[in-house]
Amino acid sequence: MNRALLALADGRVFEGRALGAEGEATGEVVFNTSMTGYQEILTDPSYLGQLVTMTYPLIGNYGVNNADVEARRPFVNGFIVKEAGRRASNWRAVGTLGHYLARHKIVGIEGIDTRALTRHIRDHGEQPALLSSEDLNPKRLAERARTLPGLIGRDLVKELTCQAPYEWPEGIAGTGSSARRTPSLHVVVYDFGVKYSILRSLVSAGCKVTVVPAQTPAEGVLARNPDGVVLSNGPGDPAALTYAVDAARALLGKRPLFGICLGHQLLGLALGGSTYKLRFGHHGGNHPVMELATGKVQITTQNHGFGVMFGEQKPAHAEGKPVAPPEEQRRVKTPFGQVALTHASLNDGTIEGLRCLDLPAFSVQYHPEASPGPHDAHPLFQQFVEMMARA
């Protein structure tokens, strides 16, 4: 099996074996702490521009299938594992992980110390990297990696959003004989990189779903007379999506809004907040989040590299203190009225949820559809339906 190298911008180089397609891949190297769900991760559009490291040591043992995809194709730039399973041990499997990566021309690497790589990212931060099975000169690769761009300031959404509006009819499989309810509410979903599971969850909650391109202006959405609007997940720097922030701001107060992941960041920007790059993002299916009003803790699926803040004060995690914001900081004044900070990460204090107190709008930084991951937050879709029904 051919050798492969992973070179980070700070000069650290890891050697392993080529996996999937041969060639080169570039992107920001991140780590994901999920134990399963690698096919959903590979096809999550939010991973565009990234080289994903799986921290669990054995990946690929149940192969790949035609059902567990979250988009029309894989979007990761590259894939990094300790050991890739050679056999697909699952009755639904139609192939192995290695063949899947090769078929979709995704460059991967296996056989490296993913624990050491993960600790290096935690200590030194996410950074550009170059993965190659062609150029095997460590010094030259590291020099090339230093010239690669990061994610700050990059609009990656325009590379993957749909080109025309479309209707989404499919609900969650196995939720009843029809897997959906008779639609009673019309929801327009902005496609910043939306996952199929979000669309399925909305349909199963009783919504007619229309997906529109990311650059659709607010007037184009309002012309469809929806009952509510979802700002979806997606990749890249939210501050670069000025058109999306403008649309979200124009929709505030006109229709109920629900923001998910990137959509949470866009809502925060529309309300007058700002965003900043995390030293290392949240990627995985085991992140604890506290609901600040009740103290209840949810285990959540997350995939983001930026955080939301209001004013000049970053969350406590900026000083290495993983605590929730104090009581006096849980409400902020914005041009659109009072906004409550509803959720916080118990790992690092990041703001994980917002709710407008004077308008029908809320958002979460994590993924309530949780594919892959826990289902603790899935009731948020029903909360959105109830908000639309009251509006």
Side-chain angles (χ1 to χ4, degrees):
M1 188 173 292
N2 292 342
R3 292 171 59 217
L5 295 179
L6 173 70
L8 278 58
D10 66 4
R12 185 74 183 269
V13 178
F14 295 83
E15 180 175 342
R17 302 182 299 275
L19 174 67
E22 295 192 6
E24 292 188 347
T26 63
E28 184 175 82
V29 64
V30 304
F31 62 85
N32 185 296
T33 56
S34 294
M35 296 175 66
T36 62
Y38 49 84
Q39 190 172 358
E40 294 94 328
I41 292 165
L42 287 166
T43 55
D44 182 349
S46 297
Y47 279 118
L48 181 66
Q50 297 178 322
L51 307 176
V52 179
T53 307
M54 301 299 294
T55 61
Y56 190 71
L58 177 60
I59 299 296
N61 55 313
Y62 56 85
V64 296
N65 60 71
N66 295 323
D68 294 343
V69 296
E70 288 296 328
R72 62 187 181 273
R73 64 171 178 84
F75 280 94
V76 298
N77 282 31
F79 203 50
I80 304 164
V81 301
K82 171 63 176 175
E83 180 182 350
R86 293 288 180 267
R87 295 183 179 179
S89 181
N90 186 283
W91 65 272
R92 297 190 306 159
V94 296
T96 65
L97 172 62
H99 290 151
Y100 183 78
L101 295 175
R103 176 158 57 92
H104 290 282
K105 297 180 173 56
I106 296 172
V107 178
I109 187 172
E110 67 168 320
I112 74 169
D113 187 343
T114 51
R115 183 180 181 184
L117 174 57
T118 298
R119 294 186 63 168
H120 187 82
I121 295 170
R122 290 189 62 180
D123 291 341
H124 301 279
E126 295 173 344
Q127 56 190 285
L130 196 157
L131 174 58
S132 178
S133 59
E134 295 178 340
D135 186 348
L136 300 178
N137 183 305
K139 183 177 180 180
R140 186 164 57 236
L141 280 182
E143 290 174 351
R144 292 173 59 196
R146 279 191 286 273
T147 67
L148 297 173
L151 292 182
I152 295 177
R154 293 177 64 187
D155 178 0
L156 297 178
V157 168
K158 63 185 179 183
E159 299 181 23
L160 54 76
T161 188
C162 61
Q163 298 303 304
Y166 64 92
E167 305 295 318
W168 179 271
E170 177 186 314
I172 300 173
T175 55
S177 58
S178 64
R180 60 178 292 172
R181 304 178 189 175
T182 301
S184 59
L185 296 166
H186 181 205
V187 175
V188 167
V189 179
Y190 269 100
D191 180 18
F192 302 126
V194 67
K195 294 171 63 180
Y196 286 169
S197 290
I198 291 176
L199 304 178
R200 293 179 182 126
S201 295
L202 289 167
V203 170
S204 290
C207 300
K208 173 187 174 183
V209 174
T210 302
V211 183
V212 299
Q215 293 181 313
T216 305
E219 307 82 63
V221 170
L222 293 173
R224 295 179 178 274
N225 195 29
D227 296 288
V229 179
V230 171
L231 308 174
S232 83
N233 64 291
D237 185 351
L241 309 180
T242 53
Y243 54 87
V245 176
D246 291 342
R249 187 178 294 121
L251 289 166
L252 277 165
K254 296 183 175 66
R255 292 295 188 276
L257 296 183
F258 180 19
I260 297 173
C261 199
L262 177 65
H264 162 80
Q265 298 160 6
L266 294 173
L267 181 62
L269 290 169
L271 290 168
S274 59
T275 55
Y276 61 98
K277 185 75 167 64
L278 298 171
R279 184 174 64 175
F280 57 90
H282 301 175
H283 312 282
N286 50 10
H287 287 257
V289 167
M290 177 183 286
E291 185 179 38
L292 298 176
T294 64
K296 291 179 62 177
V297 176
Q298 300 173 340
I299 302 302
T300 68
T301 292
Q302 301 198 15
N303 179 17
H304 63 101
F306 291 80
V308 173
M309 60 182 282
F310 288 88
E312 298 299 322
Q313 186 172 6
K314 289 186 179 181
H317 79 275
E319 285 75 42
K321 303 173 183 177
V323 296
E327 188 73 37
E328 64 272 15
Q329 294 181 17
R330 296 181 186 177
R331 289 195 179 187
V332 295
K333 291 182 179 180
T334 77
F336 297 90
Q338 291 278 329
V339 172
L341 312 184
T342 57
H343 298 76
S345 167
L346 291 185
N347 285 339
D348 62 12
T350 304
I351 296 172
E352 295 282 344
L354 303 171
R355 181 177 291 273
C356 294
L357 301 182
D358 303 305
L359 299 171
F362 73 104
S363 63
V364 289
Q365 181 64 86
Y366 47 96
H367 282 257
E369 84 288 350
S371 183
H375 297 162
D376 300 30
H378 203 268
L380 288 172
F381 289 104
Q382 188 58 40
Q383 291 182 28
F384 181 50
V385 167
E386 294 168 0
M387 174 182 282
M388 290 188 290
R390 291 193 302 266

